[in-house]
Amino acid sequence: MPAVSKGDGMRGLAVFISDIRNCKSKEAEIKRINKELANIRSKFKGDKALDGYSKKKYVCKLLFIFLLGHDIDFGHMEAVNLLSSNKYTEKQIGYLFISVLVNSNSELIRLINNAIKNDLASRNPTFMCLALHCIANVGSREMGEAFAADIPRILVAGDSMDSVKQSAALCLLRLYKASPDLVPMGEWTARVVHLLNDQHMGVVTAAVSLITCLCKKNPDDFKTCISLAVSRLSRIVSSASTDLQDYTYYFVPAPWLSVKLLRLLQCYPPPEDAAVKGRLVECLETVLNKAQEPPKSKKVQHSNAKNAILFETISLIIHYDSEPNLLVRACNQLGQFLQHRETNLRYLALESMCTLASSEFSHEAVKTHIDTVINALKTERDVSVRQRAADLLYAMCDRSNAKQIVSEMLRYLETADYAIREEIVLKVAILAEKYAVDYSWYVDTILNLIRIAGDYVSEEVWYRVLQIVTNRDDVQGYAAKTVFEALQAPACHENMVKVGGYILGEFGNLIAGDPRSSPPVQFSLLHSKFHLCSVATRALLLSTYIKFINLFPETKATIQGVLRAGSQLRNADVELQQRAVEYLTLSSVASTDVLATVLEEMPPFPERESSILAKLKRKKGPGAASALDDGRRDASSNDINGGVEPTPSTVSTPSPSADLLGLRAAPPPAAPQAPAGAGNLLVDVSSDGPVAQPGLGPTPEEAFLSELEPPAPESPMALLADPAPAADPGPEDFGSPIPEADELLNKFVCKNNGVLFENQLLQIGVKSEFRQNLGRMYLFYGNKTSVQFQSFTPTVVHPGDLQTHILLAWPSPLAPGLPSWDEMDPGRDPSSALLPESLSVPATLTVFVLDHIIEHRGHSVQFADEAEGGQRPLSHARYGGAPQSLTLKLPVTINKFFQPTEMAAQDFFQRWKQLSLPQQEAQKIFKATHPMDAEVTKAKLLGFGSALLDNVDPNPENFVGAGIIQTKALQVGCLLRLEPNAQAQMYRLTLRTSKEPVSRHLCELLAQQF
């Protein structure tokens, strides 16, 4: 900044400020300000032109008055005039006034933009910086539209000064955050990445901030920054504090730049280049090593800068989750902070360890600090630290320590802050259910939970315990006994009464043999709580009483007396009154058999995912909740895995012997009938109902595999024999697939049934089923026009060398037993196949996989409509009597031959480690293209073919699967792990198989589904 000359002292401003400070009262201050405002207004309105110094002085006074809290409604034009001055101080005051007082919608914006444009074109670095600062401070959309294209040019210009580049980068960042659509992506994006190599550290710091923001929306455009960021970080980390003297902060070299570089690297997956990755790992190890060194200063600024880099380094290690060594070291380092005297460090350590606990590599290392975390939960003074300790205990919990953690959380719940009690209750309920080996322990835990924090036990919690007790015969007697004892407490929470009323009403007979819990005693105990409860609980107890009449006839007279009481029959609440009247009448009129039928024991509840977990996600905030409207719409559209809505109670791993299409119980075939209209020609290919196929009546369970047994090895081509088909065209005769073929194919990766193709002429539907290395596919051709298709010829070909991997049986254009093409029109030549108008006709294709396949096979349909008569060469598609040709890809992907495999967690991880060669693993990190709905994701993985394994991954949000791809020649074992990040809207998919191309191809197929 230029030196200020003596004439720039503005003595009048100094005197005015002194007068304001010397005012004895608010009234005196306002009087002095009004006097000054009147003087300034008269000067501005006077006939005599003011010089630049006077304008600057008066504008400064107006700015000071505004900062004191008074409104300024004049002087803006004089400030704009200062922008045209050639003196730095006058221009600076003008820009300062505009940045503070001018509204983004002001009428002066156009004049200001012109002045800014002149300064940007002046090539004077000082004036350019002032103009860029003003743009960033105002940040209006109009300014963005005016300068969004010029600022990137200034940023990457070779002759721009370092200070100008720094200001341009920060100005562009401000505009991008305000209006991302105004900043054009162009050739400058590649050049701005190279600013990371700039000699000026300030330029690098500003550039890193800009690139970090831009790459979140356009990661591919800035992917080259990874190697440059690693290189710059390596130089900083390995440098001594004396090497970067201008950017060393309390013996820590460039701490702010280091943190920004580490955050930039967290926007991308681990580097693919081995050299770059090795250099980065070396940097991370160096930072962890420096954390162990004694501090070079006792100042708090030194420790803050050092720890900021350390925590950002640990965040990057957690983000990569691929270096077990670094993860364990990071965990140990955080463990040291758990007992640090600084509260902030303890908080950050607990927060980071929560994330580490979800990693398979560091979960065990985190568990070693359980005693320290429990102690923090008991002794921490800060409630936010105690909450993070509870979060960490929840994250590190597994079967080995569940009882210890749950008991400690229950003990803490007695004195916990009211703000976090409900969250603690939900976590205890989830852990107790998830890791309950002994369900009597689960019942004890939930009842203790109700006793300690009954007001915070939501309906989802006690509903869930009733569902579990109802579904498990082995715990019903224990639950009845335990809840009976709990109800004997003098002060009993209403939620305990609800649980007790339901359980005793259903299973009270299991403890009725004990005189201490005889039926009259049970009734008296429950009825003693009746008048203290809300209307909803009283309604539940009335239902319990009528259940008692069925279970214990000896209590009938007593209970009828209660129901007959005036307080019930004339109750002000309609619900209670209706129940009392109906229950009294039922017990008086109905016979014993009728009463037993009406009041029989509740049936088991359908198994479904716990709603408590969903409630915890909602409480944590919108980032943790994954039930989005679009996701629910996808689930309800019957478009997943053959059209079954993936509800928790219906989604399960399909058995290898299940009849997917109902072929073994198909009804007798019928001749195809034309529907009333041509709008929906196909059978319901989106359903899982049976396909009417002749000759496929009820057969033994093995019929499917025996029917599809491939031919003897010595005559493989016999499988392709066709009584009267056209010759199978070779690859040279096979036209290119339609442009949307890959997109259509992608829809069938996780489902077997649906419409493969549809246009104004033809509709093609698919229903298929697969067993081991065999498959059967039904193709349904629907003529949507009002004329017959002539020479309708569906053909299946093998592209490339696929013939060595797969055999196809295409016995006839129509399914066996249905009328042949020529039978539909006896007057035509048999070689001229017809597809009648407004009719759907099925055809069958059988698939035999000899070896693992990666490519897709093609399906070509050629035909001509009969409007012009006669036959023509079928080469291209036209409409209106002309020949048509259509080439598609059949939905036979490698995952169709998955056989789901169940395995325990120990077996899974043992097999996972065995498949540890680099070529056996394929990993992909990608942005979610569909709403992240856990149920939809689960259904897609099941539709993909693998078995979903529960309680294997330490992070319950992750999905783990296993399966075997069956071929004639070999079996390929496959393990997969899908890690969703709802907050970042990203997935990480890892696949390990015994065949390199299979891993890569499965990873690509599955990633496209999310």
Side-chain angles (χ1 to χ4, degrees):
M1 182 182 297
V4 179
S5 64
K6 292 182 180 179
D8 290 333
M10 291 189 290
R11 184 172 177 275
L13 175 65
V15 171
F16 174 63
I17 293 174
S18 178
D19 290 346
I20 293 295
R21 289 178 175 175
N22 292 330
C23 289
K24 303 298 183 181
S25 64
K26 185 69 175 176
E27 291 76 12
E29 177 184 315
I30 294 174
K31 183 178 180 181
R32 179 68 182 90
I33 288 174
N34 289 336
K35 179 182 177 181
E36 191 64 37
L37 287 174
N39 178 54
I40 296 172
R41 186 178 277 110
S42 66
K43 293 292 183 182
F44 284 165
K45 290 184 177 180
D47 297 333
K48 186 178 178 182
L50 293 175
D51 59 4
Y53 171 79
S54 299
K55 285 184 182 179
K56 178 185 69 172
K57 179 178 65 174
Y58 293 136
V59 167
C60 272
K61 287 183 178 181
L62 291 176
L63 184 59
F64 179 72
I65 293 171
F66 176 78
L67 295 177
L68 290 177
H70 300 272
D71 293 332
I72 301 298
D73 56 2
F74 69 99
H76 299 78
M77 193 63 200
E78 282 70 18
V80 173
N81 292 336
L82 286 175
L83 299 183
S84 59
S85 173
N86 289 325
K87 287 187 177 181
Y88 170 79
T89 54
E90 294 176 7
K91 191 181 290 288
Q92 180 193 36
I93 295 300
Y95 276 123
L96 182 61
F97 185 92
I98 289 168
S99 299
V100 175
L101 272 84
V102 174
N103 191 288
S104 60
N105 299 321
S106 173
E107 298 175 354
L108 299 174
I109 285 293
R110 292 187 180 277
L111 294 174
I112 296 170
N113 287 351
N114 289 333
I116 291 174
K117 192 169 293 185
N118 293 333
D119 284 336
L120 291 179
S122 68
R123 311 310 296 172
N124 183 323
T126 306
F127 292 173
M128 292 177 73
C129 286
L130 286 175
L132 290 168
H133 295 168
C134 181
I135 296 171
N137 287 330
V138 177
S140 67
R141 184 170 184 86
E142 189 171 349
M143 276 194 174
E145 292 172 348
F147 302 108
D150 297 331
I151 297 173
R153 176 179 51 78
I154 296 172
L155 176 60
V156 298
D159 57 346
S160 295
M161 299 284 289
D162 291 335
S163 59
V164 176
K165 288 182 181 178
Q166 192 172 351
S167 299
L170 296 177
C171 181
L172 192 60
L173 175 61
R174 170 72 172 85
L175 292 181
Y176 183 80
K177 287 184 175 179
S179 304
D181 57 303
L182 295 182
V183 180
M185 295 291 125
E187 59 179 13
W188 66 271
T189 56
R191 297 176 63 185
V192 77
V193 171
H194 291 284
L195 291 178
L196 296 180
N197 274 336
D198 199 279
Q199 296 297 319
H200 194 276
M201 298 289 281
V203 174
V204 178
T205 305
V208 172
S209 299
L210 175 62
I211 294 170
T212 303
C213 186
L214 292 175
C215 72
K216 291 178 180 178
K217 186 175 181 181
N218 307 283
D220 293 336
D221 293 345
F222 299 92
K223 200 170 184 179
T224 54
C225 73
I226 298 176
S227 59
L228 297 178
V230 171
S231 176
R232 174 65 74 172
L233 181 65
S234 176
R235 278 180 277 168
I236 296 173
V237 169
S238 59
S239 65
S241 58
T242 55
D243 297 341
L244 301 170
Q245 291 185 358
D246 292 341
Y247 288 87
T248 296
Y249 180 79
Y250 287 88
F251 303 101
V252 181
W256 283 275
L257 179 55
S258 300
V259 168
K260 287 177 182 291
L261 288 169
L262 290 164
R263 285 182 180 171
L264 173 60
L265 291 171
Q266 291 177 49
C267 297
Y268 291 94
E272 297 176 357
D273 189 298
V276 176
K277 186 175 182 180
R279 192 172 185 182
L280 177 58
V281 170
E282 185 179 341
C283 290
L284 300 179
E285 289 177 341
T286 304
V287 173
L288 293 177
N289 291 336
K290 285 186 176 182
Q292 300 295 330
E293 297 174 359
K296 296 180 181 179
S297 172
K298 294 183 179 179
K299 299 277 189 180
V300 67
Q301 292 91 338
H302 170 75
S303 61
N304 285 346
K306 190 176 176 181
N307 291 332
I309 298 174
L310 175 61
F311 276 103
E312 210 60 54
T313 299
I314 292 174
S315 296
L316 181 60
I317 293 171
I318 295 172
H319 171 73
Y320 285 165
D321 194 20
S322 59
E323 297 291 334
N325 216 10
L326 290 177
L327 285 164
V328 173
R329 286 194 61 187
C331 181
N332 294 335
Q333 181 63 52
L334 292 173
Q336 297 177 16
F337 286 138
L338 291 179
Q339 296 178 320
H340 200 278
R341 59 186 179 85
E342 284 288 334
T343 304
N344 288 338
L345 285 179
R346 296 197 300 273
Y347 179 93
L348 291 172
L350 289 166
E351 190 175 46
S352 298
M353 289 187 81
C354 283
T355 313
L356 274 174
S358 63
S359 171
E360 61 178 299
F361 303 114
S362 54
H363 184 74
E364 292 299 324
V366 172
K367 284 167 56 179
T368 60
H369 302 285
I370 185 171
D371 293 333
T372 307
V373 179
I374 290 174
N375 186 59
L377 189 65
K378 295 177 179 176
T379 60
E380 277 290 348
R381 295 182 179 180
D382 193 311
V383 61
S384 61
V385 180
R386 293 198 297 273
Q387 187 169 4
R388 292 288 82 77
D391 290 342
L392 180 53
L393 286 175
Y394 176 78
M396 70 167 62
C397 187
D398 58 21
R399 293 194 183 279
S400 64
N401 57 19
K403 288 191 175 183
Q404 179 186 5
I405 288 177
V406 168
S407 63
E408 291 294 344
M409 293 180 81
L410 281 173
R411 195 173 295 117
Y412 168 67
L413 194 56
E414 297 182 6
T415 57
D417 300 83
Y418 296 110
I420 64 173
R421 282 197 176 189
E422 185 178 2
E423 187 176 327
I424 298 291
V425 166
L426 292 174
K427 288 178 176 177
V428 169
I430 292 170
L431 294 179
E433 178 185 346
K434 185 175 181 181
Y435 300 112
V437 179
D438 179 5
Y439 276 90
S440 59
W441 171 76
Y442 170 74
V443 171
D444 288 339
T445 301
I446 301 300
L447 294 183
N448 265 335
L449 202 59
I450 296 173
R451 179 183 59 81
I452 296 170
D455 290 337
Y456 300 91
V457 176
S458 61
E459 289 182 340
E460 287 86 355
V461 175
W462 66 268
Y463 284 175
R464 189 62 178 165
V465 71
L466 297 182
Q467 292 172 8
I468 290 176
V469 170
T470 303
N471 289 9
R472 300 193 64 87
D473 296 340
D474 55 336
V475 79
Q476 291 167 357
Y478 180 81
K481 177 176 177 294
T482 307
V483 77
F484 176 79
E485 294 172 352
L487 287 172
Q488 293 177 347
C492 188
H493 195 274
E494 188 169 337
N495 281 337
M496 185 73 77
V497 178
K498 293 177 181 176
V499 174
Y502 182 94
I503 290 180
L504 291 180
E506 294 293 324
F507 313 113
N509 59 310
L510 300 177
I511 60 171
D514 190 336
R516 293 170 296 180
S517 56
S518 62
V521 174
Q522 292 184 38
F523 172 74
S524 299
L525 182 60
L526 283 176
H527 196 55
S528 66
K529 316 289 183 183
F530 185 88
H531 302 287
L532 305 174
C533 297
S534 65
V535 170
T537 307
R538 293 183 189 182
L540 186 148
L541 290 178
L542 289 178
S543 298
T544 301
Y545 296 167
I546 191 66
K547 288 264 187 177
F548 273 8
I549 292 179
N550 178 46
L551 290 176
F552 316 121
E554 63 270 27
T555 63
K556 181 175 181 178
T558 306
I559 293 174
Q560 283 182 335
V562 171
L563 296 176
R564 196 176 287 113
S567 58
Q568 302 303 331
L569 294 180
R570 291 190 295 274
N571 198 296
D573 186 85
V574 176
E575 175 70 19
L576 294 180
Q577 185 186 88
Q578 182 176 356
R579 289 196 184 212
V581 171
E582 291 180 355
Y583 291 162
L584 179 60
T585 305
L586 179 66
S587 63
S588 303
V589 174
S591 65
T592 306
D593 294 338
V594 172
L595 203 61
T597 303
V598 174
L599 302 173
E600 65 180 353
E601 186 178 308
M602 287 289 288
F605 292 90
E607 290 296 336
R608 57 171 63 94
E609 184 183 359
S610 173
S611 59
I612 308 175
L613 190 59
K615 183 176 178 66
L616 181 60
K617 289 179 183 178
R618 290 195 301 271
K619 186 168 181 60
K620 278 295 191 181
S626 59
L628 302 175
D629 291 340
D630 289 343
R632 284 193 294 270
R633 184 173 65 247
D634 289 344
S636 62
S637 63
N638 292 344
D639 194 37
I640 296 176
N641 198 16
V644 179
E645 181 176 354
T647 59
S649 59
T650 61
V651 173
S652 61
T653 304
S655 166
S657 62
D659 186 6
L660 292 178
L661 300 178
L663 295 176
R664 304 188 186 100
Q673 298 293 326
N680 186 17
L681 301 172
L682 299 181
V683 294
D684 186 10
V685 294
S686 295
S687 72
D688 283 336
V691 179
Q693 291 296 335
L696 292 178
T699 61
E701 190 163 324
E702 297 79 12
F704 177 77
L705 298 179
S706 62
E707 288 175 8
L708 299 185
E709 191 62 36
E714 60 270 19
S715 59
M717 297 310 295
L719 192 63
L720 302 177
D722 191 346
D728 191 12
E732 65 277 1
D733 299 321
F734 186 51
S736 299
I738 61 175
E740 61 269 27
D742 289 327
E743 181 183 350
L744 296 172
L745 180 74
N746 188 44
K747 295 196 306 183
F748 283 84
V749 171
C750 293
K751 65 175 185 177
N752 293 330
N753 314 327
V755 177
L756 178 62
F757 174 80
E758 184 171 13
N759 62 11
Q760 70 272 27
L761 305 178
L762 180 69
Q763 187 184 50
I764 303 178
V766 175
K767 291 195 88 166
S768 53
E769 65 174 343
F770 298 88
R771 294 286 181 277
Q772 299 179 8
N773 68 313
L774 310 174
R776 176 184 289 160
M777 182 175 293
Y778 302 93
L779 300 175
F780 298 85
Y781 304 98
N783 181 351
K784 296 178 65 176
T785 69
S786 58
V787 295
Q788 291 183 330
F789 287 163
Q790 178 189 0
S791 301
F792 190 87
T793 309
T795 309
V796 178
V797 299
H798 304 71
D801 62 346
L802 198 58
Q803 298 183 49
T804 61
H805 297 286
I806 187 169
L807 294 178
L808 299 175
W810 185 255
S812 68
L814 295 178
L818 288 177
S820 63
W821 297 112
D822 56 308
E823 287 174 342
M824 293 183 180
D825 188 356
R828 282 202 175 270
D829 186 346
S831 64
S832 178
L834 297 177
L835 182 58
E837 63 276 10
S838 304
L839 184 62
S840 171
V841 178
T844 308
L845 172 68
T846 306
V847 184
F848 303 86
V849 179
L850 306 179
D851 200 349
H852 65 277
I853 54 174
I854 299 301
E855 299 181 76
H856 300 106
R857 60 249 20 95
H859 177 236
S860 175
V861 177
Q862 298 179 332
F863 59 91
D865 65 57
E866 202 182 22
E868 294 184 0
Q871 302 180 25
R872 299 185 179 184
L874 307 178
S875 57
H876 60 280
R878 284 182 288 130
Y879 184 55
Q884 308 287 328
S885 178
L886 178 68
T887 302
L888 303 169
K889 291 183 178 180
L890 286 179
V892 183
T893 49
I894 188 172
N895 65 293
K896 298 297 184 185
F897 303 94
F898 246 129
Q899 180 174 344
T901 305
E902 298 287 347
M903 58 175 64
Q906 182 178 358
D907 299 332
F908 178 86
F909 285 115
Q910 181 180 358
R911 180 60 179 159
W912 184 268
K913 293 176 181 177
Q914 290 173 355
L915 299 173
S916 57
L917 297 178
Q919 63 269 25
Q920 292 177 328
E921 178 178 285
Q923 187 176 90
K924 191 176 181 68
I925 299 176
F926 53 94
K927 277 276 188 185
T929 56
H930 303 287
M932 299 182 71
D933 187 297
E935 289 302 323
V936 174
T937 301
K938 183 178 179 181
K940 286 184 177 180
L941 290 173
L942 290 171
F944 192 69
S946 66
L948 284 183
L949 309 181
D950 296 329
N951 303 323
V952 172
D953 198 295
N955 185 353
E957 302 296 324
N958 295 343
F959 297 90
V960 175
I964 298 174
I965 292 179
Q966 302 277 354
T967 72
K968 187 69 173 178
L970 71 153
Q971 295 181 336
V972 182
C974 305
L975 303 178
L976 70 85
R977 185 179 188 223
L978 181 66
E979 302 165 78
N981 185 335
Q983 187 173 3
Q985 289 292 298
M986 295 184 72
Y987 289 97
R988 175 163 61 180
L989 174 63
T990 308
L991 267 143
R992 292 187 180 182
T993 74
S994 51
K995 284 282 186 180
E996 176 186 359
V998 176
S999 302
R1000 187 172 61 254
H1001 188 64
L1002 284 177
C1003 188
E1004 291 295 332
L1005 274 180
L1006 188 54
Q1008 295 171 7
Q1009 304 304 307
F1010 301 102

